[in-house]
Amino acid sequence: MSMRGKWNGRRWPAFLRLLILAAVLFSYAMFQGGFVSWFLFYSFLPFGLYAFLVAMYPLRRAAVSRTVPARRYHAGESIPVMVRIELPWAVPLAALAVAEEGRKHGGEMIAIAWPFRRHLSCTWPLSLPRGRHQLEAVRLEARDVFGWVNKTASFYVPCTVIVYPRYIQWPPEMVREWFAQGKAARTLAYRRDMAVAAGAREYVPGDKMSWVHWKASARRQELMTKEFDEQRNDDWIVVLDGAASPWFEELVTLAASVSKALMDEGVPVGLLVAGKERSFLAPRRHDGQWQSILLRLAEVDVGGQEPLAHVLAEEASWRTAAGCIIVTSALSAQLAGQLRAMAPKRHIVLYVVSREWGEDERNWADRLRRSGVYVSRIDPQALQTVRQGGGDG
């Protein structure tokens, strides 16, 4: 897609500079006379006329389009951005600079001379952090040989680029250790007893319509789902703590890594993000779930205000999960108490990304381990130096 942009060049100041310079040289030649003065004037004429041509050049009539190859990009990867330009006239511009306007992560200006060509293209690498990014304007800047004339035009060519988080390949033996951990350790073949409904809870995305409790829904004026005597199955949920933290990007990398490890083992994986807005992705086993998890992690923002322990206590999805992996950067007494209460009913894995632990954190971690919770501290540097998630994997 290409759109003509607004012309930002200043033509009349350039004209005035050229006219003043030409008038000064001509006056000097007329009054001084001689070979040297006229040589200066006639030497100026080719460059002056060329600068005049650049000043008159309708750069705003150029057509600009931008393309980014359609593939999955991860944080830290170089993103090739190709810009195609169709100029109105085939004029030998001394330099045509192309730049990504308003970007701080690449897209620096590229100045290239293209003699007598109308259809041009150039590619530059763009490095973007994790997230959804909107590329908007491309700036063209034409100059003459000596820089007397410098005119620019901006072209609005929008393009959305999603940068996914990095992830690491988790050892399979570590994943199997999660399954064998804790008092709730058992095979992952749980079944629901659909004979008797023990109660009702609020509907969450992913619940089957056959589980809807219509009478309770009518009383509450909201959709309710039946609760059965045994609702545990082989679903696992990865929980990302979205509280403000200097290691938040490392937490996102870790959440993506453990999610990928579980999916590689064929386990249905869901995602709970306790960020600025609580977000839940129901466990699934199908191929599109990995893409959904990556997209949710790409768009998550740091800054959750609610303590993680409160989120875990209120989240209804825990009643249907066989296990969960908690990813956080702070271990508190409140969080430790909530995890100890959850441990007898399901597998609990806790990863804390932190430089070091104090005496209190070590004591809380020891109590959790005695309760059957798998606890591990990971240094942030180990997640900063991991290889990036690659390709379309």
Side-chain angles (χ1 to χ4, degrees):
M1 178 179 180
S2 65
M3 297 182 65
R4 293 179 179 177
K6 182 181 179 181
W7 184 36
N8 296 321
R10 297 180 179 179
R11 182 171 61 182
W12 289 111
F15 282 165
L16 291 177
R17 287 196 299 268
L18 291 174
L19 289 175
I20 291 173
L21 183 57
V24 169
L25 290 176
F26 181 74
S27 300
Y28 176 73
M30 288 293 294
F31 288 101
Q32 180 68 23
F35 173 78
V36 175
S37 58
W38 285 106
F39 176 80
L40 290 176
F41 176 72
Y42 286 117
S43 298
F44 161 78
L45 282 182
F47 300 102
L49 292 174
Y50 178 76
F52 177 78
L53 178 63
V54 173
M56 292 292 295
Y57 191 78
L59 189 61
R60 65 186 182 278
R61 290 172 51 191
V64 178
S65 64
R66 175 192 15 227
T67 58
V68 176
R71 58 175 293 259
R72 186 184 294 164
Y73 297 101
H74 294 263
E77 288 186 346
S78 179
I79 303 174
V81 178
M82 175 176 288
V83 174
R84 292 182 174 87
I85 306 165
E86 183 180 351
L87 298 175
W89 299 342
V91 173
L93 298 174
L96 180 65
V98 187
E100 189 74 52
E101 195 167 77
R103 301 305 309 180
K104 299 180 180 179
H105 302 281
E108 296 180 356
M109 187 173 293
I110 304 172
I112 306 175
W114 285 300
F116 296 103
R117 292 181 58 188
R118 289 188 58 203
H119 300 277
L120 319 169
S121 64
C122 62
T123 303
W124 61 68
L126 199 60
S127 180
L128 298 173
R130 175 190 60 83
R132 182 186 293 269
H133 303 274
Q134 182 70 26
L135 307 180
E136 294 184 349
V138 172
R139 186 175 72 256
L140 301 184
E141 184 175 341
R143 308 166 186 164
D144 67 313
V145 177
F146 294 107
W148 293 333
V149 176
N150 186 357
K151 62 186 307 181
T152 62
S154 294
F155 299 85
Y156 182 64
V157 280
C159 178
T160 301
V161 178
I162 300 177
V163 180
Y164 297 100
R166 299 173 300 161
Y167 65 91
I168 58 177
Q169 295 294 339
W170 217 265
E173 55 272 15
M174 181 67 73
V175 180
R176 299 187 185 100
E177 188 176 352
W178 297 339
F179 298 156
Q181 182 68 28
K183 297 179 180 179
R186 65 187 74 176
T187 61
L188 296 180
Y190 297 109
R191 293 292 183 270
R192 288 183 173 87
D193 182 5
M194 309 296 288
V196 179
R201 59 173 174 81
E202 293 183 1
Y203 176 85
V204 296
D207 288 346
K208 295 181 179 180
M209 292 304 297
S210 59
W211 300 346
V212 173
H213 199 305
W214 297 110
K215 292 184 179 179
S217 300
R219 288 195 302 267
R220 294 283 299 274
Q221 297 298 313
E222 59 179 338
L223 208 56
M224 304 292 291
T225 301
K226 296 177 183 177
E227 282 190 311
F228 302 98
D229 287 335
E230 179 61 64
Q231 287 194 328
R232 290 197 299 172
N233 52 20
D234 58 350
D235 296 346
W236 277 62
I237 297 177
V238 177
V239 181
L240 172 62
D241 186 4
S245 169
W247 318 121
F248 184 70
E249 293 303 319
E250 286 72 22
L251 292 178
V252 175
T253 295
L254 183 57
S257 303
V258 296
S259 299
K260 185 68 164 62
L262 287 170
M263 296 200 69
D264 288 344
E265 293 294 319
V267 178
V269 180
L271 178 67
L272 173 63
V273 178
K276 287 185 177 180
E277 297 180 358
R278 192 185 305 185
S279 172
F280 178 68
L281 187 64
R284 293 287 189 274
R285 187 183 272 112
H286 58 73
D287 296 337
Q289 181 72 351
W290 174 232
Q291 179 68 23
S292 300
I293 291 176
L294 277 182
L295 183 60
R296 194 66 61 91
L297 291 176
E299 298 178 338
V300 62
D301 289 328
V302 66
Q305 300 297 324
E306 189 175 8
L308 182 59
H310 290 174
V311 175
L312 298 180
E314 297 173 1
E315 186 59 41
S317 59
W318 298 124
R319 302 170 186 175
T320 63
C324 62
I325 299 179
I326 315 294
V327 177
T328 183
S329 61
L331 178 58
S332 63
Q334 190 178 20
L335 178 59
Q338 179 61 35
L339 295 181
R340 290 178 64 188
M342 294 166 55
K345 302 178 181 179
R346 58 189 54 83
H347 305 271
I348 301 292
V349 177
L350 174 65
Y351 282 111
V352 182
V353 178
S354 176
R355 289 287 189 191
E356 58 182 14
W357 273 351
E359 187 65 27
D360 291 339
E361 286 82 359
R362 285 193 288 268
N363 291 335
W364 295 330
D366 290 339
R367 294 173 186 173
L368 286 173
R369 292 187 182 102
R370 289 195 294 269
S371 299
V373 177
Y374 180 98
V375 183
S376 178
R377 182 185 68 84
I378 299 181
D379 192 285
Q381 188 64 32
L383 296 170
Q384 292 171 355
T385 57
V386 298
R387 72 174 181 84
Q388 300 159 10
D392 296 326

